[in-house]
Amino acid sequence: MTHILILTGAGISAESGLGTFRDKDGLWTQYDLEEVATPEGFARNPALVHDFYNARRANCLEAQPNAAHAALARLQRAHKGHVTIVTQNVDDLHERAGAKDVIHMHGELQGALCAACDHRWPAPRVMSPDAPCPSCDTPSTRPDIVWFGEMPYRMEDIYTALGDADLFVAIGTSGNVYPAAGFVMEARAMGIATLELNLEPSDTASAFEDARFGPATQVVPAWVEELL
Ligand code: BJW
């Protein structure tokens, strides 16, 4: 096993106290995703969207990486081949656990983006729609997050890594959101081995050749231990 591509979702950060989206009490049971996670919602009410991400940024700053994040960082350091971590999560818990070169395909809470000129800079703790862009001065500041209908980041890098991988592992993701939900089928089509690690079977569970179910803080360290 030389190249392992790992895709993570909200479930890996659940035991760090960050909410998932589609579980009971998940973020989409409390917020209307059309209002807080689409460019149209942001155009209608930027203050509401900033409030949503300011609160999530504050939660993220309080959260600590858990044993699953730590196990993946250890795997990256100790595995003799290459380990690529692609996350749908906008938190920085993989990095704080020591993981390197994490691909954040849905953006990052710690990033600010100018909707007028695409300039990026580190987000302040509290963002506001009136804040001018440090590069072009336009007051069009938005969180550097990929919303529904927008192109996820670094897709070329992800498909290159997938094409080179021997094993694709999805951890703590419901398999509801494309294109990430399609990676398992693409891996299968390329003859790459596939493994799901999740609390319970995801919507794409039947596509995986192998699976282990349980809390991420238990199944991920156990799998890493076995592999190393
Ligand atoms: C645990 C656990 C524990 C709990 N231990 N596990 C077909 C093809 C292509 C696109 C589409 C298509 N059909 C529809 C689309 C469009 C759309 C889409 O997918 N819509 C669906 C709703 C159908 N996709 C898009 O718009 C994307 N862009 C796009 O497609 O561009 C065009 C394109 C085409 C072709 C190729 C390339 C591009 C953009 C999607 C942007 C998603 N944005 C969000 C919000 C922003 C980030 C944020 O605010 O945080 O990203 S939505 C939200 O869902 C967030 C997440 O990253 C994403 C995935 O959620 P995730 O991580 O799976 O969380 P949950 O809650 O769903 O699941 C948690 C899992 O954890 C569960 O399984 C639990 O069991 C488990 N769990 N506790 C282990 N302790």
Side-chain angles (χ1 to χ4, degrees):
M1 200 66 66
T2 57
H3 187 172
I4 304 171
L5 191 149
I6 296 171
L7 171 71
T8 65
I12 196 166
S13 297
E15 291 162 86
S16 292
L18 300 182
T20 63
F21 295 93
R22 295 169 186 82
D23 291 315
K24 189 169 77 62
D25 304 328
L27 286 167
W28 295 160
T29 66
Q30 302 159 47
Y31 296 90
D32 181 349
L33 71 84
E34 295 288 341
E35 298 307 321
V36 298
T38 65
E40 295 77 14
F42 185 64
R44 276 191 295 275
N45 192 346
L48 174 82
V49 176
H50 276 299
D51 285 350
F52 174 69
Y53 284 102
N54 286 339
R56 300 215 9 234
R57 191 175 302 108
N59 287 346
C60 177
L61 286 169
E62 282 165 18
Q64 296 303 322
N66 64 45
H69 299 105
L72 294 187
R74 177 180 168 225
L75 179 66
Q76 233 185 6
R77 282 193 304 272
H79 178 57
K80 289 196 173 55
H82 192 69
V83 177
T84 302
I85 299 176
V86 177
T87 188
Q88 298 168 88
N89 298 344
V90 295
D91 65 56
D92 60 354
L93 298 183
H94 283 302
E95 287 88 346
R96 284 202 264 143
K100 302 281 180 232
D101 304 323
V102 178
I103 298 179
H104 282 269
M105 65 180 293
H106 291 166
E108 295 180 68
L109 281 170
Q110 306 306 336
L113 170 67
C114 174
C117 76
D118 283 347
H119 178 67
R120 286 184 165 80
W121 67 101
R125 273 172 179 251
V126 178
M127 290 180 70
S128 98
D130 310 326
C133 165
S135 176
C136 74
D137 218 33
T138 310
S140 303
T141 299
R142 56 168 280 182
D144 192 5
I145 300 287
V146 177
W147 290 321
F148 284 106
E150 297 185 317
M151 184 61 86
Y153 295 151
R154 300 190 53 190
M155 291 307 299
E156 239 181 84
D157 292 338
I158 295 171
Y159 284 122
T160 302
L162 192 58
D164 181 58
D166 306 290
L167 172 66
F168 170 73
V169 187
I171 303 175
T173 177
S174 63
N176 264 271
V177 175
Y178 287 83
F183 293 166
V184 61
M185 289 311 292
E186 284 149 22
R188 290 294 298 273
M190 290 188 272
I192 299 163
T194 55
L195 167 67
E196 170 163 74
L197 304 177
N198 206 336
L199 191 58
E200 51 194 34
S202 68
D203 284 10
T204 49
S206 61
F208 288 86
E209 292 161 302
D210 195 5
R212 296 173 190 193
F213 299 114
T217 55
Q218 293 175 25
V219 293
V220 177
W223 168 69
V224 168
E225 188 63 43
E226 216 173 277
L227 206 68
L228 293 176

